[in-house]
Amino acid sequence: MIPTGLTDSLTDLYGRRIDYLRLSVTDRCDLRCGYCLPKGYKSFEEPADWLTFDEIVRVVGAFVALGVRRVRLTGGEPLVRRGLAELAAGLAALPGLDDLSLSSNCTQMQAQAAPLFRAGVRRLNLSLDSLRPERFAQLTGGGRLSQVMAGIMAAKDAGFTPIKVNTVAMRGVNEDEFPEILAFCAAHGFTLRLIETMPMGTAGRDAQRDYYLDLETVRSRLQEHFNLIPDLMPGGGPARYYRVAETDTRIGFITPLSQHFCETCNRVRLGVDGTLHLCLGQTHSVALRPLLRAGASVSELAEHLRAAVRLKPERHCFEDQAAQLVRCMAATGG
């Protein structure tokens, strides 16, 4: 039976309407950023346990039927899964889905940008923690900045807009580059978003301990060099945006710890194995793969999604329960 007291949309017990799904298509990645994947990590999901493209379209169809209007393809690194443009086309065709976007490290974007754009992906969030080749290689476990830059420019040429550059802010690691990265974004019409480290899994907890930066402090430093004016930007994400005065350049600050944004959280995450994560910083989850493999219809899936959203907690508890969050970021979906 469908729980009473819920509307046709996905609304949790705290009155938050869920209209944004972050969909992981793989937990694999071709880079090894230290805050995301622990050194030597091998606990990846077996391909047999990945949701198939058909299963993904079915479950996303149920989300869309319940009012979800934004879907972001994530990973791991989503571009390492073969046939991603085919999946994107299937999702873009769902009636009622208004916004299909992608998060990527752009290592493989040069070849895939045009097919993905033709398939219906329109917005891009890309990861870029340094503009210095040697530092970039060190941070990513051997990644080549030139390859990433070629992918970024291919995405720009393909027509993705807006393009948001996500930079994890790390004390003593890349904080000296923030003005440089902001200038790069301004030169290309991109938006910069600085992100605080989060204590997810062993890697995340180590990064939190060693490199955490309060972004309010960072904003104050940048304010000394740039006149930052509070601003807004569409997209359904958690960033607090500012615009550089007399320009169209925006910078966003994502602050899950120093200024949490749980009261406005409008999103859930679906792992590649079909696990629905109700909160990034809690362990609440529901397994949807058994329902999909049993042939559940869209209406049956919708009933389970309504019930699942009732489990979404009021806020994360990174401060109190970090040790319980054994899953790494790559296993959760960005």
Side-chain angles (χ1 to χ4, degrees):
M1 178 180 295
I2 297 175
T4 60
L6 295 178
T7 66
D8 287 339
S9 63
L10 285 176
T11 304
D12 70 11
L13 294 178
Y14 305 96
R16 296 171 297 195
R17 181 175 176 180
I18 308 305
D19 63 3
Y20 186 7
L21 173 66
R22 295 189 179 178
L23 170 65
S24 176
V25 298
T26 180
D27 58 350
R28 313 293 174 98
C29 189
D30 52 358
L31 298 180
R32 287 294 181 274
C33 299
Y35 52 78
C36 184
L37 284 172
K39 188 176 182 179
Y41 181 83
K42 296 181 180 178
S43 300
F44 297 105
E45 294 290 335
E46 293 297 325
D49 294 330
W50 296 356
L51 294 187
T52 66
F53 285 179
D54 176 69
E55 290 167 341
I56 290 173
V57 172
R58 284 167 53 209
V59 72
V60 174
F63 274 106
V64 172
L66 290 172
V68 167
R69 294 293 174 257
R70 300 184 180 101
V71 171
R72 175 173 296 280
L73 301 173
T74 72
E77 170 47 48
L79 298 191
V80 305
R81 183 155 181 181
R82 294 180 181 178
L84 186 63
E86 174 189 347
L87 173 62
L91 296 174
L94 290 171
L97 182 62
D98 298 332
D99 178 42
L100 183 61
S101 58
L102 172 74
S103 292
S104 176
N105 61 30
C106 284
T107 57
Q108 302 187 38
M109 185 62 76
Q110 189 171 14
Q112 298 195 47
L116 285 166
F117 191 82
R118 288 195 298 267
V121 181
R122 291 294 177 263
R123 296 191 300 114
L124 173 66
N125 285 8
L126 62 93
S127 299
L128 185 65
D129 293 333
S130 177
L131 289 172
R132 303 176 188 178
E134 290 185 5
R135 179 180 287 177
F136 182 86
Q138 183 178 16
L139 289 173
T140 59
R144 291 190 293 119
L145 182 61
S146 59
Q147 180 182 10
V148 169
M149 284 298 181
I152 293 172
M153 294 305 121
K156 179 181 177 181
D157 292 343
F160 290 98
T161 184
I163 292 177
K164 298 177 182 177
V165 174
N166 289 344
T167 299
V168 176
M170 292 174 279
R171 185 184 70 247
V173 176
N174 64 350
E175 59 182 315
D176 58 327
E177 286 193 68
F178 297 159
E180 182 181 350
I181 297 173
L182 180 56
F184 165 77
C185 290
H188 292 282
F190 304 155
T191 292
L192 173 61
R193 305 200 310 172
L194 297 176
I195 305 173
E196 291 178 346
T197 54
M198 287 179 280
M200 290 193 62
T202 302
R205 287 194 294 275
D206 289 347
Q208 178 75 11
R209 180 193 64 222
D210 298 335
Y211 309 126
Y212 174 74
L213 262 177
D214 183 329
L215 287 187
E216 180 58 26
T217 300
V218 173
R219 187 193 65 78
S220 296
R221 291 179 194 164
L222 288 172
Q223 187 77 53
E224 296 174 1
H225 303 281
F226 305 93
N227 184 10
L228 302 180
I229 302 170
D231 202 358
L232 298 174
M233 190 169 185
R240 294 180 172 92
Y241 285 102
Y242 293 79
R243 181 173 53 83
V244 178
E246 300 181 2
T247 77
D248 292 327
T249 302
R250 292 181 176 88
I251 179 170
F253 298 88
I254 299 179
T255 56
L257 292 180
S258 64
Q259 299 179 62
H260 76 79
F261 35 82
C262 300
E263 68 277 2
T264 60
C265 183
N266 63 339
R267 66 201 68 90
V268 292
R269 291 169 170 82
L270 185 64
V272 66
D273 64 345
T275 300
L276 181 65
H277 300 284
L278 283 309
C279 176
L280 190 61
Q282 294 261 24
T283 57
H284 301 66
S285 63
V286 173
L288 298 180
R289 188 179 68 218
L291 297 168
L292 289 159
R293 300 266 159 108
S297 66
V298 168
S299 60
E300 290 169 333
L301 289 168
E303 180 177 333
H304 284 278
L305 294 180
R306 287 189 179 101
V309 165
R310 293 177 69 91
L311 301 176
K312 186 173 175 65
E314 184 175 11
R315 59 157 297 179
H316 70 66
C317 288
F318 279 130
E319 303 90 339
D320 303 325
Q321 299 186 28
Q324 297 182 25
L325 296 172
V326 296
R327 67 180 190 271
C328 64
M329 181 66 79
T332 305

